Amino acid sequence: MTQPEYDPGPQIAYAGIINLGTPDLERSLWFFRDLLGMEVVEQVGGKAYLRGYQELVHHSLILTQQAEATVNAYGFRVKRKQDVELFHKELTEQGIQTLELAAGHEAGRGEAVRFLVPGSEHPFELYYEIDKPEAEESLRSKVPSNSSRRRGLGVRRLDHINLQTSASTVNQAEGWLRKSLGFKRREFARIPQAPDILMASWLSVTPQVHDLAIGVCADDAPGQFHHVAFNVENFHDILTAADQIRDLDIAYGAGPGKHGIGQAMYLYIHDPGSGHRIELYSGGYHIFDPDWEALEWKLPELEFGQTWYGDVLDVGPGGQFLSTSPSAGLTP
């Protein structure tokens, strides 16, 4: 007897694109292109499309010239072309308002569906089709898995995105991300004074510890952006970046150090054109066990989760590390 073909339903493949609004596009371009070494694939109409040297797709970063430093969109690639339509159907059935974005709405990308995450109100865009252009000849690498030669501080790819929302909505948003988009909780912490509320949760759809993190905003506001992390090859690259950035007019955030959560080395800096927080990230462990049970961090070990070694993150009242950027609404 022939069994019907199993269909797992629509799935997220990875965190693919972030669109950062910047009041000073040229300064942001200098930061990402000249310092971090990302390739500008295309620049048109006040937007620049960039990628790391190991990203074969059209872009992972969009820099948009605008008056306010707002994050315009968080893009996630799905596993199959039909998954865009299937997710759209599921969102509609849940009563979630969506926008259908035609192919070409974003340079190099196919059709997408845009919506606000229930609870957190972050503008997500789900897409599948994206161009894979060759770099111009002067930038090409002899290694076929590299889209271009390594330059600057050597950003390889977008690694993960960190979001924040209000304490009253974080549980709802985190639960929705797991139930409706298929993210798996890998590590988490609860607010010590309110143990029923998540302080932060690290979620992934890949073997990484997190492709996406969501936590409580110090200002108790939804739709907040904490940072986007870009992957570099090794710990030495983090130290090189820290050394070089000290000589430049760039807001130095925190690090270099190593997180206990995820076990990767970090350096937090700020894009001088927009002020958005950027993490340079290297190392970390991977999860292959299908029966992985989420790890909870509690006091007093929680401080080691934030910083295993290096600069202790300033998370006290009014701490610099708690600052965030706003996100756009359903219509950017």
Side-chain angles (χ1 to χ4, degrees), residues 112-128:
V113 58
R114 180 182 173 95
F115 63 96
L116 299 183
V117 173
S120 72
E121 301 178 26
H122 290 95
F124 276 23
E125 294 181 358
L126 306 182
Y127 67 96
Y128 175 74

Side-chain angles (χ1 to χ4, degrees), residues 118-140:
S120 72
E121 301 178 26
H122 290 95
F124 276 23
E125 294 181 358
L126 306 182
Y127 67 96
Y128 175 74
E129 293 181 314
I130 186 165
D131 294 346
K132 297 181 179 180
E134 282 192 324
E136 61 179 67
E137 190 170 356
S138 64
L139 294 179
R140 289 179 197 165

Side-chain angles (χ1 to χ4, degrees), residues 90-97:
E90 288 193 5
L91 292 165
T92 301
E93 289 175 350
Q94 291 184 38
I96 298 171
Q97 187 178 0

